[in-house]
Amino acid sequence: MSAPSPYHPPVKRSVQIAGHKTSISLEPLFWTMLRDAAEAEGVPINAIVARIDAERIKSPTPPGLASAIRVWLVSQ
């Protein structure tokens, strides 16, 4: 399977956090990285997103969820 182009526009997908659905727009490259991180930990993508959401909310200046996911992914 070939890697998605890093210059593809964001793709919107629904995730569930604490029982609530929300939509997140990420470039395909970040969706792939998020899926790989979830598979490596043996947890659903929703669980990783929920963890990132909980961490970002604790920040004095919380970024948007999509930004927090990107930062989390590149800092792994």
Side-chain angles (χ1 to χ4, degrees):
M1 184 166 135
S2 65
S5 169
Y7 303 110
H8 192 282
V11 175
K12 187 178 282 193
R13 295 192 183 158
S14 293
V15 296
Q16 192 165 349
I17 304 171
H20 297 88
K21 283 192 176 186
T22 188
S23 294
I24 301 171
S25 292
L26 294 171
E27 294 76 10
L29 177 66
F30 288 109
W31 282 117
T32 299
M33 292 171 70
L34 189 59
R35 184 198 68 228
D36 292 348
E39 286 178 3
E41 290 191 27
V43 298
I45 288 176
N46 289 344
I48 299 255
V49 172
R51 185 181 337 140
I52 295 167
D53 188 46
E55 290 174 8
R56 83 175 175 97
I57 290 170
K58 294 176 188 175
S59 171
T61 55
L65 182 54
S67 294
I69 291 169
R70 289 182 188 99
V71 168
W72 185 86
L73 286 167
V74 299
S75 65
Q76 294 301 300

Coordinates of all heavy atoms in Angstrom, one line a residue:
M1 N 0.8 -1.2 0.0 CA 0.0 0.0 0.0 C 0.9 1.2 0.0 O 1.8 1.4 0.8 CB -0.9 0.0 1.3 CG -1.9 1.1 1.3 SD -3.1 0.7 2.6 CE -3.2 2.2 3.4
S2 N 0.6 2.1 -0.9 CA 1.5 3.3 -1.0 C 1.0 4.4 0.1 O -0.2 4.4 0.4 CB 1.4 3.9 -2.4 OG 0.1 4.4 -2.7
A3 N 1.9 5.2 0.5 CA 1.6 6.2 1.5 C 0.9 7.3 0.8 O 1.1 7.6 -0.3 CB 2.9 6.7 2.1
P4 N -0.1 7.9 1.6 CA -0.8 9.0 1.0 C 0.1 10.2 0.8 O 1.1 10.4 1.5 CB -1.9 9.3 2.1 CG -1.4 8.7 3.3 CD -0.5 7.6 3.0
S5 N -0.3 11.0 -0.2 CA 0.5 12.2 -0.4 C 0.4 13.2 0.8 O -0.6 13.4 1.4 CB -0.1 13.0 -1.6 OG 0.5 14.3 -1.8
P6 N 1.5 13.7 1.2 CA 1.5 14.6 2.3 C 0.8 15.9 2.0 O 0.5 16.7 2.9 CB 3.0 14.8 2.7 CG 3.7 14.6 1.4 CD 2.9 13.5 0.7
Y7 N 0.5 16.2 0.8 CA -0.1 17.4 0.4 C -1.6 17.3 0.1 O -2.2 18.1 -0.6 CB 0.6 18.0 -0.8 CG 2.1 18.2 -0.5 CD1 3.1 17.5 -1.1 CD2 2.5 19.2 0.5 CE1 4.4 17.6 -0.7 CE2 3.8 19.4 0.8 CZ 4.7 18.6 0.2 OH 6.0 18.7 0.6
H8 N -2.2 16.3 0.5 CA -3.6 16.0 0.4 C -4.4 16.9 1.3 O -4.0 17.1 2.5 CB -4.0 14.6 0.6 CG -5.3 14.1 0.2 ND1 -6.5 14.4 0.9 CD2 -5.7 13.5 -0.9 CE1 -7.5 14.0 0.3 NE2 -7.1 13.4 -0.8
P9 N -5.5 17.5 0.9 CA -6.3 18.3 1.9 C -6.9 17.4 3.0 O -7.0 16.2 2.9 CB -7.5 18.8 1.0 CG -7.4 18.2 -0.3 CD -6.1 17.4 -0.4
P10 N -7.3 18.1 4.1 CA -7.8 17.3 5.3 C -9.0 16.5 4.9 O -9.8 16.9 4.0 CB -8.1 18.4 6.3 CG -7.3 19.6 5.9 CD -7.2 19.5 4.4
V11 N -9.2 15.4 5.6 CA -10.4 14.5 5.5 C -11.1 14.6 6.8 O -10.5 14.4 7.9 CB -9.9 13.1 5.1 CG1 -11.1 12.2 5.1 CG2 -9.2 13.1 3.8
K12 N -12.4 14.8 6.8 CA -13.2 14.8 8.0 C -13.7 13.4 8.4 O -14.3 12.8 7.5 CB -14.4 15.8 7.8 CG -15.1 16.0 9.1 CD -16.2 17.1 8.9 CE -15.6 18.4 8.9 NZ -16.6 19.5 9.0
R13 N -13.5 13.1 9.6 CA -14.0 11.8 10.1 C -14.7 12.0 11.5 O -14.3 12.9 12.2 CB -12.9 10.7 10.2 CG -12.3 10.4 8.9 CD -11.5 9.2 9.0 NE -10.9 8.9 7.7 CZ -9.8 8.2 7.5 NH1 -9.1 7.7 8.5 NH2 -9.3 8.0 6.3
S14 N -15.6 11.1 11.8 CA -16.3 11.2 13.1 C -15.6 10.3 14.1 O -15.2 9.2 13.8 CB -17.7 10.8 13.0 OG -18.5 11.7 12.3
V15 N -15.4 10.8 15.3 CA -14.9 10.0 16.4 C -15.8 10.2 17.6 O -16.6 11.2 17.7 CB -13.4 10.4 16.8 CG1 -12.5 10.1 15.6 CG2 -13.3 11.8 17.2
Q16 N -15.7 9.3 18.6 CA -16.5 9.4 19.8 C -15.6 9.6 21.0 O -14.7 8.8 21.2 CB -17.4 8.1 19.9 CG -18.4 8.3 21.0 CD -19.5 7.2 20.9 OE1 -19.5 6.5 19.9 NE2 -20.3 7.1 21.9
I17 N -15.9 10.7 21.7 CA -15.1 11.0 22.9 C -16.1 11.1 24.1 O -17.1 11.9 24.0 CB -14.4 12.3 22.8 CG1 -13.5 12.3 21.6 CG2 -13.6 12.6 24.0 CD1 -12.9 13.7 21.2
A18 N -15.9 10.3 25.1 CA -16.8 10.3 26.3 C -18.3 10.2 25.9 O -19.1 10.9 26.4 CB -16.5 11.6 27.1
G19 N -18.6 9.4 24.9 CA -20.0 9.2 24.5 C -20.5 10.2 23.6 O -21.7 10.1 23.2
H20 N -19.7 11.2 23.2 CA -20.2 12.2 22.3 C -19.4 12.1 20.9 O -18.2 12.0 20.9 CB -20.0 13.6 22.9 CG -20.8 13.8 24.1 ND1 -20.3 13.5 25.4 CD2 -22.0 14.3 24.3 CE1 -21.2 13.7 26.3 NE2 -22.3 14.2 25.6
K21 N -20.2 12.2 19.8 CA -19.5 12.2 18.5 C -19.1 13.6 18.2 O -19.7 14.6 18.5 CB -20.5 11.7 17.5 CG -20.6 10.2 17.5 CD -21.4 9.7 16.2 CE -21.4 8.2 16.2 NZ -21.9 7.7 15.0
T22 N -17.9 13.7 17.6 CA -17.4 14.9 17.1 C -16.6 14.6 15.8 O -16.2 13.5 15.5 CB -16.4 15.6 18.1 OG1 -16.1 16.9 17.6 CG2 -15.2 14.8 18.3
S23 N -16.5 15.6 14.9 CA -15.8 15.5 13.7 C -14.4 16.1 13.8 O -14.3 17.2 14.4 CB -16.6 16.1 12.5 OG -17.8 15.5 12.3
I24 N -13.5 15.5 13.2 CA -12.1 16.0 13.2 C -11.6 15.9 11.7 O -11.8 15.0 11.0 CB -11.2 15.1 14.0 CG1 -11.7 15.0 15.5 CG2 -9.7 15.6 14.0 CD1 -10.9 14.0 16.3
S25 N -11.0 17.0 11.3 CA -10.4 17.1 10.0 C -8.9 17.0 10.1 O -8.3 17.9 10.7 CB -10.8 18.4 9.3 OG -12.1 18.5 9.0
L26 N -8.3 16.0 9.5 CA -6.9 15.8 9.5 C -6.5 15.3 8.1 O -7.2 14.7 7.4 CB -6.4 14.7 10.5 CG -6.6 14.9 12.0 CD1 -6.4 13.6 12.7 CD2 -5.7 16.0 12.4
E27 N -5.3 15.7 7.7 CA -4.7 15.2 6.5 C -4.6 13.7 6.5 O -4.4 13.1 7.6 CB -3.4 15.8 6.2 CG -3.4 17.4 6.0 CD -3.6 18.2 7.2 OE1 -3.6 17.6 8.4 OE2 -3.9 19.4 7.1
P28 N -4.7 13.0 5.4 CA -4.6 11.5 5.4 C -3.4 11.0 6.1 O -3.4 10.0 6.8 CB -4.7 11.1 3.9 CG -5.5 12.2 3.3 CD -5.1 13.5 4.1
L29 N -2.2 11.7 5.9 CA -1.0 11.3 6.6 C -1.2 11.2 8.1 O -0.7 10.2 8.7 CB 0.1 12.3 6.2 CG 1.5 12.0 6.9 CD1 2.1 10.7 6.4 CD2 2.4 13.2 6.6
F30 N -1.9 12.1 8.7 CA -2.1 12.1 10.1 C -3.1 11.0 10.5 O -3.0 10.4 11.6 CB -2.5 13.5 10.6 CG -1.4 14.5 10.6 CD1 -1.4 15.5 9.7 CD2 -0.3 14.3 11.5 CE1 -0.3 16.4 9.7 CE2 0.7 15.3 11.5 CZ 0.7 16.3 10.6
W31 N -4.1 10.8 9.7 CA -5.0 9.7 10.0 C -4.3 8.3 10.0 O -4.5 7.5 10.8 CB -6.2 9.6 9.0 CG -7.3 10.6 9.2 CD1 -7.6 11.7 8.4 CD2 -8.1 10.7 10.4 NE1 -8.6 12.4 9.0 CE2 -8.9 11.9 10.2 CE3 -8.2 10.0 11.6 CZ2 -9.9 12.2 11.1 CZ3 -9.2 10.4 12.5 CH2 -10.0 11.5 12.3
T32 N -3.4 8.2 9.0 CA -2.6 7.0 9.0 C -1.7 6.8 10.2 O -1.6 5.8 10.8 CB -1.7 7.0 7.7 OG1 -2.5 7.0 6.6 CG2 -0.8 5.7 7.6
M33 N -1.0 7.9 10.6 CA -0.2 7.9 11.8 C -1.0 7.6 13.1 O -0.6 6.9 13.9 CB 0.5 9.3 12.0 CG 1.5 9.6 10.9 SD 2.2 11.3 11.0 CE 3.1 11.2 12.5
L34 N -2.2 8.2 13.1 CA -3.1 7.9 14.3 C -3.5 6.5 14.3 O -3.5 5.8 15.4 CB -4.3 8.9 14.2 CG -5.2 8.9 15.4 CD1 -4.5 9.3 16.7 CD2 -6.4 9.9 15.1
R35 N -3.9 5.9 13.2 CA -4.3 4.5 13.1 C -3.1 3.6 13.5 O -3.3 2.7 14.3 CB -4.7 4.1 11.7 CG -5.2 2.7 11.6 CD -5.3 2.2 10.2 NE -3.9 2.0 9.7 CZ -3.5 2.5 8.5 NH1 -4.3 3.1 7.7 NH2 -2.3 2.4 8.1
D36 N -1.9 3.9 13.0 CA -0.7 3.1 13.4 C -0.5 3.2 14.9 O -0.1 2.2 15.5 CB 0.5 3.6 12.6 CG 0.4 3.3 11.1 OD1 -0.5 2.5 10.7 OD2 1.2 3.9 10.3
A37 N -0.6 4.4 15.5 CA -0.4 4.5 16.9 C -1.4 3.7 17.7 O -1.1 3.0 18.7 CB -0.5 6.0 17.3
A38 N -2.7 3.7 17.3 CA -3.7 2.9 17.9 C -3.4 1.4 17.8 O -3.5 0.7 18.8 CB -5.1 3.3 17.4
E39 N -3.0 1.0 16.6 CA -2.7 -0.4 16.4 C -1.5 -0.8 17.3 O -1.5 -1.9 17.9 CB -2.4 -0.7 15.0 CG -3.7 -0.7 14.1 CD -3.4 -0.9 12.6 OE1 -2.2 -1.1 12.2 OE2 -4.3 -0.9 11.8
A40 N -0.5 0.0 17.4 CA 0.7 -0.3 18.2 C 0.3 -0.4 19.7 O 0.9 -1.3 20.4 CB 1.7 0.8 18.0
E41 N -0.6 0.3 20.1 CA -1.1 0.2 21.5 C -2.2 -0.8 21.7 O -2.5 -1.1 22.9 CB -1.5 1.6 22.0 CG -0.4 2.6 22.2 CD -0.9 3.9 22.9 OE1 -1.8 3.8 23.7 OE2 -0.3 4.9 22.7
G42 N -2.7 -1.3 20.7 CA -3.8 -2.2 20.8 C -5.1 -1.6 21.3 O -5.9 -2.3 22.0
V43 N -5.4 -0.4 20.9 CA -6.6 0.3 21.4 C -7.3 1.0 20.2 O -6.6 1.2 19.2 CB -6.3 1.4 22.5 CG1 -5.7 0.8 23.7 CG2 -5.4 2.5 21.9
P44 N -8.5 1.3 20.3 CA -9.2 2.0 19.2 C -8.7 3.4 19.0 O -8.2 4.0 20.0 CB -10.7 2.0 19.6 CG -10.8 1.0 20.8 CD -9.5 0.9 21.4
I45 N -8.9 3.9 17.8 CA -8.5 5.3 17.6 C -9.2 6.2 18.6 O -8.7 7.2 19.1 CB -8.8 5.7 16.1 CG1 -7.8 5.0 15.2 CG2 -8.8 7.2 15.9 CD1 -8.1 5.2 13.7
N46 N -10.5 5.9 18.8 CA -11.3 6.8 19.8 C -10.6 6.9 21.1 O -10.6 8.0 21.8 CB -12.7 6.2 20.0 CG -13.6 6.4 18.7 OD1 -13.3 7.2 17.8 ND2 -14.7 5.7 18.7
A47 N -10.0 5.8 21.6 CA -9.3 5.9 22.9 C -8.1 6.8 22.9 O -7.9 7.6 23.8 CB -8.9 4.5 23.3
I48 N -7.3 6.8 21.8 CA -6.2 7.7 21.7 C -6.7 9.1 21.6 O -6.1 10.0 22.3 CB -5.4 7.3 20.4 CG1 -4.8 5.9 20.5 CG2 -4.3 8.4 20.1 CD1 -3.4 5.7 20.8
V49 N -7.7 9.4 20.8 CA -8.2 10.7 20.6 C -8.7 11.2 22.0 O -8.5 12.4 22.4 CB -9.3 10.8 19.5 CG1 -10.0 12.2 19.5 CG2 -8.7 10.5 18.2
A50 N -9.4 10.4 22.7 CA -9.9 10.8 24.0 C -8.8 11.1 25.0 O -8.9 12.1 25.7 CB -10.8 9.7 24.6
R51 N -7.7 10.4 24.9 CA -6.6 10.7 25.8 C -5.9 12.0 25.4 O -5.6 12.8 26.3 CB -5.5 9.5 25.7 CG -4.4 9.7 26.6 CD -3.3 8.6 26.5 NE -3.7 7.4 26.0 CZ -3.0 6.7 25.1 NH1 -1.8 7.1 24.8 NH2 -3.4 5.5 24.7
I52 N -5.8 12.2 24.1 CA -5.2 13.5 23.6 C -6.1 14.6 24.1 O -5.6 15.7 24.5 CB -5.0 13.5 22.1 CG1 -3.9 12.4 21.7 CG2 -4.6 14.8 21.6 CD1 -3.9 12.1 20.2
D53 N -7.4 14.5 23.9 CA -8.4 15.5 24.3 C -8.2 15.8 25.8 O -8.2 17.0 26.2 CB -9.8 15.0 24.0 CG -10.8 16.1 24.2 OD1 -10.6 17.3 23.7 OD2 -11.9 15.9 24.8
A54 N -8.1 14.8 26.6 CA -8.0 15.1 28.1 C -6.7 15.8 28.4 O -6.7 16.7 29.2 CB -8.1 13.7 28.8
E55 N -5.6 15.5 27.7 CA -4.3 16.1 27.9 C -4.4 17.6 27.5 O -3.9 18.5 28.2 CB -3.2 15.4 27.2 CG -2.9 14.0 27.7 CD -1.9 13.3 26.9 OE1 -1.3 13.8 25.9 OE2 -1.6 12.1 27.2
R56 N -5.0 17.8 26.3 CA -5.0 19.2 25.8 C -5.8 20.1 26.6 O -5.5 21.3 26.8 CB -5.5 19.2 24.3 CG -7.0 19.2 24.2 CD -7.4 19.4 22.7 NE -8.9 19.2 22.8 CZ -9.7 20.3 22.8 NH1 -9.3 21.5 22.7 NH2 -11.0 20.0 22.8
I57 N -6.9 19.6 27.2 CA -7.8 20.4 28.0 C -7.0 20.9 29.3 O -7.3 22.0 29.8 CB -9.1 19.7 28.4 CG1 -9.9 19.5 27.2 CG2 -9.9 20.4 29.5 CD1 -11.1 18.5 27.3
K58 N -6.1 20.2 29.7 CA -5.3 20.6 30.9 C -4.3 21.7 30.6 O -3.8 22.4 31.5 CB -4.5 19.4 31.5 CG -5.4 18.3 32.0 CD -4.5 17.1 32.5 CE -5.4 15.9 32.8 NZ -4.6 14.8 33.1
S59 N -4.1 22.0 29.4 CA -3.1 23.1 29.0 C -3.7 24.4 29.3 O -4.9 24.7 29.2 CB -2.9 23.0 27.5 OG -2.2 24.1 27.0
P60 N -2.8 25.4 29.7 CA -3.3 26.7 30.0 C -3.9 27.4 28.8 O -4.8 28.3 29.0 CB -2.0 27.5 30.5 CG -1.0 26.5 30.7 CD -1.4 25.2 30.0
T61 N -3.4 27.1 27.6 CA -4.0 27.6 26.4 C -4.3 26.5 25.5 O -3.5 26.2 24.5 CB -3.0 28.6 25.7 OG1 -1.8 28.0 25.6 CG2 -2.9 29.9 26.6
P62 N -5.4 25.7 25.7 CA -5.6 24.5 24.9 C -5.8 24.8 23.4 O -6.6 25.7 23.0 CB -6.9 23.9 25.5 CG -7.3 24.8 26.6 CD -6.4 26.0 26.6
P63 N -5.1 24.0 22.6 CA -5.3 24.2 21.1 C -6.6 23.4 20.7 O -7.2 22.7 21.6 CB -4.1 23.5 20.6 CG -3.8 22.4 21.6 CD -4.1 23.0 22.9
G64 N -7.0 23.6 19.5 CA -8.1 22.8 19.0 C -7.7 21.3 19.0 O -6.5 21.0 19.0
L65 N -8.7 20.5 18.9 CA -8.4 19.0 19.0 C -7.5 18.5 17.8 O -6.6 17.8 18.0 CB -9.7 18.2 19.1 CG -9.6 16.7 19.2 CD1 -8.7 16.3 20.4 CD2 -11.0 16.1 19.3
A66 N -7.8 19.0 16.6 CA -7.0 18.5 15.5 C -5.6 18.9 15.6 O -4.7 18.2 15.3 CB -7.6 19.0 14.1
S67 N -5.4 20.2 16.1 CA -4.0 20.6 16.3 C -3.3 19.8 17.4 O -2.1 19.4 17.2 CB -4.0 22.1 16.7 OG -4.4 22.9 15.7
A68 N -4.0 19.5 18.4 CA -3.5 18.7 19.5 C -3.1 17.3 19.0 O -2.0 16.7 19.4 CB -4.5 18.6 20.7
I69 N -3.9 16.7 18.2 CA -3.6 15.4 17.6 C -2.3 15.5 16.8 O -1.5 14.6 16.9 CB -4.8 14.9 16.8 CG1 -6.0 14.6 17.7 CG2 -4.4 13.6 16.0 CD1 -7.3 14.3 17.0
R70 N -2.2 16.5 16.0 CA -1.0 16.6 15.1 C 0.2 16.7 16.0 O 1.3 16.1 15.8 CB -1.1 17.8 14.2 CG -2.1 17.6 13.1 CD -2.1 18.9 12.2 NE -3.2 18.8 11.2 CZ -4.3 19.5 11.3 NH1 -4.6 20.2 12.4 NH2 -5.3 19.4 10.4
V71 N 0.2 17.6 17.0 CA 1.3 17.8 17.9 C 1.7 16.5 18.6 O 2.8 16.1 18.7 CB 1.1 18.9 18.9 CG1 2.1 18.9 20.0 CG2 1.0 20.2 18.2
W72 N 0.6 15.8 19.1 CA 0.8 14.5 19.8 C 1.5 13.5 18.9 O 2.5 12.8 19.3 CB -0.5 14.0 20.3 CG -0.3 12.7 21.2 CD1 -0.1 12.7 22.5 CD2 -0.4 11.4 20.7 NE1 -0.1 11.3 22.9 CE2 -0.3 10.5 21.8 CE3 -0.7 10.8 19.4 CZ2 -0.3 9.1 21.7 CZ3 -0.7 9.4 19.3 CH2 -0.5 8.6 20.5
L73 N 1.1 13.4 17.7 CA 1.6 12.5 16.7 C 3.1 12.7 16.4 O 3.9 11.8 16.3 CB 0.8 12.4 15.4 CG -0.6 11.7 15.5 CD1 -1.4 12.0 14.3 CD2 -0.4 10.2 15.7
V74 N 3.4 14.0 16.2 CA 4.8 14.3 15.8 C 5.7 14.3 17.0 O 7.0 14.2 16.9 CB 5.0 15.6 15.0 CG1 4.2 15.5 13.7 CG2 4.6 16.8 15.9
S75 N 5.2 14.3 18.2 CA 6.0 14.2 19.4 C 6.2 12.8 20.0 O 6.9 12.6 21.0 CB 5.5 15.1 20.5 OG 4.2 14.7 21.0
Q76 N 5.7 11.9 19.3 CA 5.8 10.4 19.7 C 7.1 9.9 19.3 O 7.6 10.1 18.3 CB 4.6 9.6 19.1 CG 3.3 10.0 19.7 CD 3.2 9.9 21.2 OE1 3.4 8.8 21.7 NE2 3.0 11.0 21.9

